[in-house]
Amino acid sequence: MWENIKSIIYRLFNKNIDISDDDAHAKASYDSEYADTSTINITAIIANKLATLTVDDSDITVSGNNKRAEYLNQLIKKTWLTYGIKAVSFAFGVGKSALIPYATGGKLYVNVVPQSLFYITGSQGDEITAVCVIADSLKKENGTYYRYTDYSVENGVYVIRQRATRDGTLIDLDSVPEWSQIAPELRISGIDRLPIGFIKCPANNRNPGSMTGVPITYGCGENIKRIKDTLSDIAREFKLKEAFVGADSTLFDKDNKPPKNGLFKKFLAESRDGKSFWEVFDPAIRDSSYFNRLQNEFALLEKSIGVSRGILTEPETNGATATEIRRANHDTYAVVDSMRSQIESAFETLAYAFNAFANLYNITPAGEYNIKFDWGYSLIEDSSETFSQLAQGKSMGAVKTVEIRQYLFPAETPEQAQEAVEEIAKTEPNMSTLIGD
């Protein structure tokens, strides 16, 4: 499959894929392992948990007093709410994901693409300058169809090229009704970087020359295997201890069924020599040993991926102070913070791309904009303690009232918060006014 894709992309776009054969096979396996629903998926559990912690209680806002900023804010917020957790979970689970903007019917949208479906065809240092994406596939009676999209920046022009194949042979887009309205090529001038947002997992791929991302559980295969083996042992143990009713064979007829008249013969619970009829082997220590081993394996996996207790194990917070809780969650917060840096870069690029498309289609008048990231700190922060610090800062003249307002109402833009503060000041007298000072 990999050799076919490499050959097809070269024939369609005359470009080589910037990846080794080993990395290509590896990233395909990351995707299949993350998507596996036939068994307990430890990587997916961790990826989804970390994605939730990363995105939780956070917001992205585009501000600016113009129509363009309002339009970009709507698009960014919609993308964040719809695809935020999905894109981050993909990155943790398979190594990297891409946020690819596109336009259709005069509106802008975003595709979230996992690493296994896009191939880097150009790079400069650690910056990706061109990618080819397997954008769509269709199975019909006369063959299998694939649509490939190449994205690149050439001399300040963003070029999007579309190609289609049937069973590996180049065909016209018009020959496929579902793709007939797609332009074979689109150009946007005035572009200085590839307007696609990439989110990469913080895990180290241990290969300095590779741009391939690796899942958060990279290198932990043996640990995960032991966890699955232990879970299987626990399930087998409970299966063997299922309750059952024992009866003598003389109680059943030749078809192995009880008598139709409903009468049963009694049999003794003890044998004639006075010993118990049943010999039960049910030492309770087996339960504790199995679950102790499972918790130890969970804890080892958490250490291996660089997070604190509480992802797979139970967090140790009973009786802990706010400071102790922050220290206990520090490792997890470090991973989350690293991922947030990736998200900031991706969404800044996404806003840049939306702005370029808006210019191309003249959706709104052009205007300046700023993008702000409001991250949640519930992992390491006590909200009451933070509010107390803000209040003290306000009394010392180091914090503005609008900053306290934004902490209490994070969904508001800076402009909305300022307007609310001014309105409150006009309509509600402060303490100094009440006492006549």
PDB file of all heavy atoms in Angstrom, residues 300-334:
ATOM      1  N   LEU A 300       3.352   2.553  36.267  1.00  0.00           N
ATOM      2  CA  LEU A 300       4.573   2.500  35.467  1.00  0.00           C
ATOM      3  C   LEU A 300       4.341   3.127  34.091  1.00  0.00           C
ATOM      4  O   LEU A 300       5.203   3.851  33.571  1.00  0.00           O
ATOM      5  CB  LEU A 300       5.048   1.058  35.321  1.00  0.00           C
ATOM      6  CG  LEU A 300       6.315   0.847  34.477  1.00  0.00           C
ATOM      7  CD1 LEU A 300       7.480   1.634  35.059  1.00  0.00           C
ATOM      8  CD2 LEU A 300       6.653  -0.644  34.389  1.00  0.00           C
ATOM      9  N   LEU A 301       3.179   2.875  33.500  1.00  0.00           N
ATOM     10  CA  LEU A 301       2.872   3.459  32.194  1.00  0.00           C
ATOM     11  C   LEU A 301       2.750   4.984  32.302  1.00  0.00           C
ATOM     12  O   LEU A 301       3.211   5.711  31.415  1.00  0.00           O
ATOM     13  CB  LEU A 301       1.574   2.862  31.640  1.00  0.00           C
ATOM     14  CG  LEU A 301       1.141   3.355  30.256  1.00  0.00           C
ATOM     15  CD1 LEU A 301       2.242   3.130  29.224  1.00  0.00           C
ATOM     16  CD2 LEU A 301      -0.135   2.651  29.808  1.00  0.00           C
ATOM     17  N   GLU A 302       2.131   5.461  33.369  1.00  0.00           N
ATOM     18  CA  GLU A 302       2.035   6.912  33.573  1.00  0.00           C
ATOM     19  C   GLU A 302       3.428   7.535  33.655  1.00  0.00           C
ATOM     20  O   GLU A 302       3.676   8.602  33.071  1.00  0.00           O
ATOM     21  CB  GLU A 302       1.242   7.206  34.851  1.00  0.00           C
ATOM     22  CG  GLU A 302      -0.249   6.925  34.725  1.00  0.00           C
ATOM     23  CD  GLU A 302      -0.990   7.045  36.049  1.00  0.00           C
ATOM     24  OE1 GLU A 302      -0.357   6.867  37.111  1.00  0.00           O
ATOM     25  OE2 GLU A 302      -2.203   7.302  36.019  1.00  0.00           O
ATOM     26  N   LYS A 303       4.340   6.892  34.384  1.00  0.00           N
ATOM     27  CA  LYS A 303       5.709   7.408  34.471  1.00  0.00           C
ATOM     28  C   LYS A 303       6.401   7.361  33.109  1.00  0.00           C
ATOM     29  O   LYS A 303       7.161   8.273  32.754  1.00  0.00           O
ATOM     30  CB  LYS A 303       6.507   6.590  35.486  1.00  0.00           C
ATOM     31  CG  LYS A 303       6.077   6.799  36.931  1.00  0.00           C
ATOM     32  CD  LYS A 303       6.904   5.951  37.882  1.00  0.00           C
ATOM     33  CE  LYS A 303       6.455   6.163  39.326  1.00  0.00           C
ATOM     34  NZ  LYS A 303       7.225   5.315  40.274  1.00  0.00           N
ATOM     35  N   SER A 304       6.130   6.311  32.339  1.00  0.00           N
ATOM     36  CA  SER A 304       6.783   6.147  31.042  1.00  0.00           C
ATOM     37  C   SER A 304       6.390   7.237  30.058  1.00  0.00           C
ATOM     38  O   SER A 304       7.215   7.679  29.245  1.00  0.00           O
ATOM     39  CB  SER A 304       6.446   4.774  30.454  1.00  0.00           C
ATOM     40  OG  SER A 304       6.908   3.729  31.286  1.00  0.00           O
ATOM     41  N   ILE A 305       5.135   7.679  30.119  1.00  0.00           N
ATOM     42  CA  ILE A 305       4.684   8.712  29.184  1.00  0.00           C
ATOM     43  C   ILE A 305       4.849  10.113  29.766  1.00  0.00           C
ATOM     44  O   ILE A 305       4.555  11.109  29.087  1.00  0.00           O
ATOM     45  CB  ILE A 305       3.213   8.495  28.753  1.00  0.00           C
ATOM     46  CG1 ILE A 305       2.270   8.621  29.953  1.00  0.00           C
ATOM     47  CG2 ILE A 305       3.057   7.133  28.096  1.00  0.00           C
ATOM     48  CD1 ILE A 305       0.807   8.455  29.589  1.00  0.00           C
ATOM     49  N   GLY A 306       5.312  10.192  31.016  1.00  0.00           N
ATOM     50  CA  GLY A 306       5.647  11.480  31.597  1.00  0.00           C
ATOM     51  C   GLY A 306       4.510  12.247  32.214  1.00  0.00           C
ATOM     52  O   GLY A 306       4.542  13.481  32.260  1.00  0.00           O
ATOM     53  N   VAL A 307       3.470  11.545  32.711  1.00  0.00           N
ATOM     54  CA  VAL A 307       2.353  12.233  33.363  1.00  0.00           C
ATOM     55  C   VAL A 307       2.274  11.832  34.830  1.00  0.00           C
ATOM     56  O   VAL A 307       2.896  10.863  35.267  1.00  0.00           O
ATOM     57  CB  VAL A 307       1.009  11.914  32.663  1.00  0.00           C
ATOM     58  CG1 VAL A 307       1.029  12.395  31.219  1.00  0.00           C
ATOM     59  CG2 VAL A 307       0.689  10.420  32.730  1.00  0.00           C
ATOM     60  N   SER A 308       1.494  12.591  35.590  1.00  0.00           N
ATOM     61  CA  SER A 308       1.317  12.324  37.013  1.00  0.00           C
ATOM     62  C   SER A 308       0.265  11.239  37.219  1.00  0.00           C
ATOM     63  O   SER A 308      -0.435  10.836  36.285  1.00  0.00           O
ATOM     64  CB  SER A 308       0.881  13.606  37.727  1.00  0.00           C
ATOM     65  OG  SER A 308       1.665  14.705  37.357  1.00  0.00           O
ATOM     66  N   ARG A 309       0.135  10.793  38.454  1.00  0.00           N
ATOM     67  CA  ARG A 309      -0.942   9.865  38.795  1.00  0.00           C
ATOM     68  C   ARG A 309      -2.284  10.543  38.543  1.00  0.00           C
ATOM     69  O   ARG A 309      -2.430  11.744  38.672  1.00  0.00           O
ATOM     70  CB  ARG A 309      -0.840   9.447  40.264  1.00  0.00           C
ATOM     71  CG  ARG A 309       0.357   8.577  40.584  1.00  0.00           C
ATOM     72  CD  ARG A 309       0.309   8.126  42.035  1.00  0.00           C
ATOM     73  NE  ARG A 309      -0.844   7.287  42.300  1.00  0.00           N
ATOM     74  CZ  ARG A 309      -0.878   5.965  42.135  1.00  0.00           C
ATOM     75  NH1 ARG A 309       0.195   5.334  41.692  1.00  0.00           N
ATOM     76  NH2 ARG A 309      -1.961   5.274  42.408  1.00  0.00           N
ATOM     77  N   GLY A 310      -3.275   9.714  38.173  1.00  0.00           N
ATOM     78  CA  GLY A 310      -4.601  10.251  37.941  1.00  0.00           C
ATOM     79  C   GLY A 310      -5.091  10.097  36.516  1.00  0.00           C
ATOM     80  O   GLY A 310      -6.259  10.354  36.227  1.00  0.00           O
ATOM     81  N   ILE A 311      -4.214   9.666  35.597  1.00  0.00           N
ATOM     82  CA  ILE A 311      -4.641   9.415  34.221  1.00  0.00           C
ATOM     83  C   ILE A 311      -5.238   8.012  34.114  1.00  0.00           C
ATOM     84  O   ILE A 311      -6.332   7.812  33.613  1.00  0.00           O
ATOM     85  CB  ILE A 311      -3.465   9.577  33.238  1.00  0.00           C
ATOM     86  CG1 ILE A 311      -2.877  10.991  33.347  1.00  0.00           C
ATOM     87  CG2 ILE A 311      -3.932   9.312  31.806  1.00  0.00           C
ATOM     88  CD1 ILE A 311      -3.855  12.093  33.055  1.00  0.00           C
ATOM     89  N   LEU A 312      -4.517   7.015  34.615  1.00  0.00           N
ATOM     90  CA  LEU A 312      -5.027   5.642  34.680  1.00  0.00           C
ATOM     91  C   LEU A 312      -5.270   5.215  36.124  1.00  0.00           C
ATOM     92  O   LEU A 312      -6.180   4.435  36.400  1.00  0.00           O
ATOM     93  CB  LEU A 312      -4.040   4.672  34.018  1.00  0.00           C
ATOM     94  CG  LEU A 312      -3.845   4.831  32.506  1.00  0.00           C
ATOM     95  CD1 LEU A 312      -2.748   3.895  32.019  1.00  0.00           C
ATOM     96  CD2 LEU A 312      -5.134   4.544  31.754  1.00  0.00           C
ATOM     97  N   THR A 313      -4.450   5.700  37.041  1.00  0.00           N
ATOM     98  CA  THR A 313      -4.615   5.375  38.460  1.00  0.00           C
ATOM     99  C   THR A 313      -5.506   6.425  39.126  1.00  0.00           C
ATOM    100  O   THR A 313      -5.863   7.430  38.523  1.00  0.00           O
ATOM    101  CB  THR A 313      -3.253   5.346  39.154  1.00  0.00           C
ATOM    102  OG1 THR A 313      -2.627   6.635  38.993  1.00  0.00           O
ATOM    103  CG2 THR A 313      -2.362   4.270  38.562  1.00  0.00           C
ATOM    104  N   GLU A 314      -5.835   6.169  40.380  1.00  0.00           N
ATOM    105  CA  GLU A 314      -6.597   7.143  41.144  1.00  0.00           C
ATOM    106  C   GLU A 314      -5.642   8.220  41.669  1.00  0.00           C
ATOM    107  O   GLU A 314      -4.567   7.893  42.177  1.00  0.00           O
ATOM    108  CB  GLU A 314      -7.302   6.471  42.332  1.00  0.00           C
ATOM    109  CG  GLU A 314      -8.444   5.557  41.924  1.00  0.00           C
ATOM    110  CD  GLU A 314      -9.568   6.305  41.248  1.00  0.00           C
ATOM    111  OE1 GLU A 314      -9.841   7.460  41.630  1.00  0.00           O
ATOM    112  OE2 GLU A 314     -10.184   5.730  40.332  1.00  0.00           O
ATOM    113  N   PRO A 315      -5.997   9.487  41.554  1.00  0.00           N
ATOM    114  CA  PRO A 315      -5.116  10.538  42.069  1.00  0.00           C
ATOM    115  C   PRO A 315      -5.034  10.496  43.589  1.00  0.00           C
ATOM    116  O   PRO A 315      -6.011  10.169  44.264  1.00  0.00           O
ATOM    117  CB  PRO A 315      -5.789  11.831  41.591  1.00  0.00           C
ATOM    118  CG  PRO A 315      -7.237  11.461  41.409  1.00  0.00           C
ATOM    119  CD  PRO A 315      -7.241  10.022  40.967  1.00  0.00           C
ATOM    120  N   GLU A 316      -3.862  10.823  44.115  1.00  0.00           N
ATOM    121  CA  GLU A 316      -3.665  10.823  45.561  1.00  0.00           C
ATOM    122  C   GLU A 316      -3.882  12.240  46.092  1.00  0.00           C
ATOM    123  O   GLU A 316      -2.947  13.023  46.244  1.00  0.00           O
ATOM    124  CB  GLU A 316      -2.255  10.332  45.899  1.00  0.00           C
ATOM    125  CG  GLU A 316      -2.014   8.884  45.488  1.00  0.00           C
ATOM    126  CD  GLU A 316      -0.600   8.437  45.783  1.00  0.00           C
ATOM    127  OE1 GLU A 316       0.260   9.316  45.994  1.00  0.00           O
ATOM    128  OE2 GLU A 316      -0.352   7.221  45.799  1.00  0.00           O
ATOM    129  N   THR A 317      -5.154  12.584  46.347  1.00  0.00           N
ATOM    130  CA  THR A 317      -5.482  13.950  46.770  1.00  0.00           C
ATOM    131  C   THR A 317      -6.213  13.991  48.105  1.00  0.00           C
ATOM    132  O   THR A 317      -6.606  15.069  48.551  1.00  0.00           O
ATOM    133  CB  THR A 317      -6.365  14.632  45.708  1.00  0.00           C
ATOM    134  OG1 THR A 317      -7.550  13.836  45.493  1.00  0.00           O
ATOM    135  CG2 THR A 317      -5.620  14.773  44.390  1.00  0.00           C
ATOM    136  N   ASN A 318      -6.418  12.851  48.759  1.00  0.00           N
ATOM    137  CA  ASN A 318      -7.129  12.863  50.035  1.00  0.00           C
ATOM    138  C   ASN A 318      -6.342  13.623  51.093  1.00  0.00           C
ATOM    139  O   ASN A 318      -5.206  13.260  51.437  1.00  0.00           O
ATOM    140  CB  ASN A 318      -7.368  11.421  50.526  1.00  0.00           C
ATOM    141  CG  ASN A 318      -8.367  10.696  49.646  1.00  0.00           C
ATOM    142  OD1 ASN A 318      -9.215  11.316  49.016  1.00  0.00           O
ATOM    143  ND2 ASN A 318      -8.265   9.376  49.592  1.00  0.00           N
ATOM    144  N   GLY A 319      -6.946  14.695  51.596  1.00  0.00           N
ATOM    145  CA  GLY A 319      -6.303  15.479  52.639  1.00  0.00           C
ATOM    146  C   GLY A 319      -5.185  16.369  52.151  1.00  0.00           C
ATOM    147  O   GLY A 319      -4.496  16.993  52.965  1.00  0.00           O
ATOM    148  N   ALA A 320      -4.985  16.457  50.829  1.00  0.00           N
ATOM    149  CA  ALA A 320      -3.892  17.258  50.299  1.00  0.00           C
ATOM    150  C   ALA A 320      -4.288  18.730  50.237  1.00  0.00           C
ATOM    151  O   ALA A 320      -5.440  19.071  50.015  1.00  0.00           O
ATOM    152  CB  ALA A 320      -3.507  16.776  48.899  1.00  0.00           C
ATOM    153  N   THR A 321      -3.313  19.604  50.434  1.00  0.00           N
ATOM    154  CA  THR A 321      -3.552  21.035  50.314  1.00  0.00           C
ATOM    155  C   THR A 321      -3.520  21.431  48.837  1.00  0.00           C
ATOM    156  O   THR A 321      -3.133  20.637  47.973  1.00  0.00           O
ATOM    157  CB  THR A 321      -2.475  21.820  51.070  1.00  0.00           C
ATOM    158  OG1 THR A 321      -1.199  21.578  50.439  1.00  0.00           O
ATOM    159  CG2 THR A 321      -2.410  21.398  52.520  1.00  0.00           C
ATOM    160  N   ALA A 322      -3.913  22.676  48.559  1.00  0.00           N
ATOM    161  CA  ALA A 322      -3.912  23.152  47.177  1.00  0.00           C
ATOM    162  C   ALA A 322      -2.505  23.112  46.588  1.00  0.00           C
ATOM    163  O   ALA A 322      -2.302  22.743  45.434  1.00  0.00           O
ATOM    164  CB  ALA A 322      -4.474  24.570  47.117  1.00  0.00           C
ATOM    165  N   THR A 323      -1.507  23.476  47.414  1.00  0.00           N
ATOM    166  CA  THR A 323      -0.123  23.450  46.936  1.00  0.00           C
ATOM    167  C   THR A 323       0.325  22.025  46.641  1.00  0.00           C
ATOM    168  O   THR A 323       0.996  21.766  45.623  1.00  0.00           O
ATOM    169  CB  THR A 323       0.812  24.072  47.986  1.00  0.00           C
ATOM    170  OG1 THR A 323       0.412  25.418  48.234  1.00  0.00           O
ATOM    171  CG2 THR A 323       2.260  24.050  47.510  1.00  0.00           C
ATOM    172  N   GLU A 324      -0.048  21.083  47.494  1.00  0.00           N
ATOM    173  CA  GLU A 324       0.325  19.677  47.269  1.00  0.00           C
ATOM    174  C   GLU A 324      -0.347  19.122  46.022  1.00  0.00           C
ATOM    175  O   GLU A 324       0.250  18.321  45.288  1.00  0.00           O
ATOM    176  CB  GLU A 324      -0.058  18.851  48.497  1.00  0.00           C
ATOM    177  CG  GLU A 324       0.821  19.143  49.714  1.00  0.00           C
ATOM    178  CD  GLU A 324       0.298  18.485  50.984  1.00  0.00           C
ATOM    179  OE1 GLU A 324      -0.919  18.189  51.045  1.00  0.00           O
ATOM    180  OE2 GLU A 324       1.100  18.269  51.910  1.00  0.00           O
ATOM    181  N   ILE A 325      -1.584  19.528  45.773  1.00  0.00           N
ATOM    182  CA  ILE A 325      -2.278  19.071  44.571  1.00  0.00           C
ATOM    183  C   ILE A 325      -1.579  19.596  43.321  1.00  0.00           C
ATOM    184  O   ILE A 325      -1.415  18.877  42.331  1.00  0.00           O
ATOM    185  CB  ILE A 325      -3.756  19.528  44.602  1.00  0.00           C
ATOM    186  CG1 ILE A 325      -4.512  18.770  45.703  1.00  0.00           C
ATOM    187  CG2 ILE A 325      -4.429  19.298  43.254  1.00  0.00           C
ATOM    188  CD1 ILE A 325      -5.927  19.261  45.913  1.00  0.00           C
ATOM    189  N   ARG A 326      -1.145  20.852  43.348  1.00  0.00           N
ATOM    190  CA  ARG A 326      -0.434  21.420  42.198  1.00  0.00           C
ATOM    191  C   ARG A 326       0.860  20.654  41.932  1.00  0.00           C
ATOM    192  O   ARG A 326       1.198  20.357  40.787  1.00  0.00           O
ATOM    193  CB  ARG A 326      -0.136  22.905  42.442  1.00  0.00           C
ATOM    194  CG  ARG A 326      -1.357  23.803  42.310  1.00  0.00           C
ATOM    195  CD  ARG A 326      -0.935  25.259  42.148  1.00  0.00           C
ATOM    196  NE  ARG A 326      -0.286  25.783  43.338  1.00  0.00           N
ATOM    197  CZ  ARG A 326      -0.932  26.337  44.363  1.00  0.00           C
ATOM    198  NH1 ARG A 326      -2.253  26.434  44.323  1.00  0.00           N
ATOM    199  NH2 ARG A 326      -0.277  26.789  45.407  1.00  0.00           N
ATOM    200  N   ARG A 327       1.577  20.348  43.006  1.00  0.00           N
ATOM    201  CA  ARG A 327       2.819  19.599  42.833  1.00  0.00           C
ATOM    202  C   ARG A 327       2.557  18.195  42.305  1.00  0.00           C
ATOM    203  O   ARG A 327       3.301  17.675  41.468  1.00  0.00           O
ATOM    204  CB  ARG A 327       3.563  19.524  44.165  1.00  0.00           C
ATOM    205  CG  ARG A 327       4.150  20.857  44.619  1.00  0.00           C
ATOM    206  CD  ARG A 327       4.753  20.758  46.003  1.00  0.00           C
ATOM    207  NE  ARG A 327       5.342  22.034  46.432  1.00  0.00           N
ATOM    208  CZ  ARG A 327       5.783  22.276  47.659  1.00  0.00           C
ATOM    209  NH1 ARG A 327       5.698  21.312  48.582  1.00  0.00           N
ATOM    210  NH2 ARG A 327       6.296  23.449  47.965  1.00  0.00           N
ATOM    211  N   ALA A 328       1.475  17.573  42.775  1.00  0.00           N
ATOM    212  CA  ALA A 328       1.147  16.207  42.357  1.00  0.00           C
ATOM    213  C   ALA A 328       0.780  16.145  40.883  1.00  0.00           C
ATOM    214  O   ALA A 328       0.991  15.119  40.235  1.00  0.00           O
ATOM    215  CB  ALA A 328       0.004  15.660  43.212  1.00  0.00           C
ATOM    216  N   ASN A 329       0.233  17.251  40.348  1.00  0.00           N
ATOM    217  CA  ASN A 329      -0.214  17.270  38.952  1.00  0.00           C
ATOM    218  C   ASN A 329       0.778  17.950  38.018  1.00  0.00           C
ATOM    219  O   ASN A 329       0.453  18.185  36.849  1.00  0.00           O
ATOM    220  CB  ASN A 329      -1.571  17.976  38.845  1.00  0.00           C
ATOM    221  CG  ASN A 329      -2.689  17.158  39.445  1.00  0.00           C
ATOM    222  OD1 ASN A 329      -2.671  15.930  39.395  1.00  0.00           O
ATOM    223  ND2 ASN A 329      -3.672  17.829  40.021  1.00  0.00           N
ATOM    224  N   HIS A 330       1.958  18.256  38.529  1.00  0.00           N
ATOM    225  CA  HIS A 330       2.900  19.048  37.731  1.00  0.00           C
ATOM    226  C   HIS A 330       3.293  18.354  36.430  1.00  0.00           C
ATOM    227  O   HIS A 330       3.361  18.986  35.368  1.00  0.00           O
ATOM    228  CB  HIS A 330       4.159  19.371  38.549  1.00  0.00           C
ATOM    229  CG  HIS A 330       5.162  20.177  37.784  1.00  0.00           C
ATOM    230  ND1 HIS A 330       6.187  19.596  37.060  1.00  0.00           N
ATOM    231  CD2 HIS A 330       5.286  21.518  37.599  1.00  0.00           C
ATOM    232  CE1 HIS A 330       6.899  20.536  36.474  1.00  0.00           C
ATOM    233  NE2 HIS A 330       6.380  21.706  36.787  1.00  0.00           N
ATOM    234  N   ASP A 331       3.596  17.055  36.467  1.00  0.00           N
ATOM    235  CA  ASP A 331       4.037  16.339  35.267  1.00  0.00           C
ATOM    236  C   ASP A 331       2.948  16.346  34.195  1.00  0.00           C
ATOM    237  O   ASP A 331       3.233  16.580  33.007  1.00  0.00           O
ATOM    238  CB  ASP A 331       4.427  14.898  35.610  1.00  0.00           C
ATOM    239  CG  ASP A 331       5.717  14.818  36.401  1.00  0.00           C
ATOM    240  OD1 ASP A 331       6.424  15.842  36.474  1.00  0.00           O
ATOM    241  OD2 ASP A 331       6.011  13.748  36.951  1.00  0.00           O
ATOM    242  N   THR A 332       1.713  16.078  34.605  1.00  0.00           N
ATOM    243  CA  THR A 332       0.613  16.102  33.636  1.00  0.00           C
ATOM    244  C   THR A 332       0.449  17.498  33.054  1.00  0.00           C
ATOM    245  O   THR A 332       0.235  17.665  31.846  1.00  0.00           O
ATOM    246  CB  THR A 332      -0.708  15.658  34.298  1.00  0.00           C
ATOM    247  OG1 THR A 332      -0.563  14.317  34.760  1.00  0.00           O
ATOM    248  CG2 THR A 332      -1.864  15.720  33.312  1.00  0.00           C
ATOM    249  N   TYR A 333       0.556  18.511  33.898  1.00  0.00           N
ATOM    250  CA  TYR A 333       0.408  19.880  33.405  1.00  0.00           C
ATOM    251  C   TYR A 333       1.514  20.223  32.401  1.00  0.00           C
ATOM    252  O   TYR A 333       1.275  20.940  31.416  1.00  0.00           O
ATOM    253  CB  TYR A 333       0.445  20.878  34.557  1.00  0.00           C
ATOM    254  CG  TYR A 333       0.380  22.300  34.068  1.00  0.00           C
ATOM    255  CD1 TYR A 333      -0.814  22.830  33.585  1.00  0.00           C
ATOM    256  CD2 TYR A 333       1.515  23.103  34.048  1.00  0.00           C
ATOM    257  CE1 TYR A 333      -0.867  24.127  33.101  1.00  0.00           C
ATOM    258  CE2 TYR A 333       1.465  24.398  33.568  1.00  0.00           C
ATOM    259  CZ  TYR A 333       0.271  24.899  33.096  1.00  0.00           C
ATOM    260  OH  TYR A 333       0.220  26.179  32.613  1.00  0.00           O
ATOM    261  N   ALA A 334       2.728  19.709  32.619  1.00  0.00           N
ATOM    262  CA  ALA A 334       3.827  19.970  31.688  1.00  0.00           C
ATOM    263  C   ALA A 334       3.506  19.415  30.306  1.00  0.00           C
ATOM    264  O   ALA A 334       3.769  20.069  29.281  1.00  0.00           O
ATOM    265  CB  ALA A 334       5.121  19.362  32.222  1.00  0.00           C
TER     266      ALA A 334
END
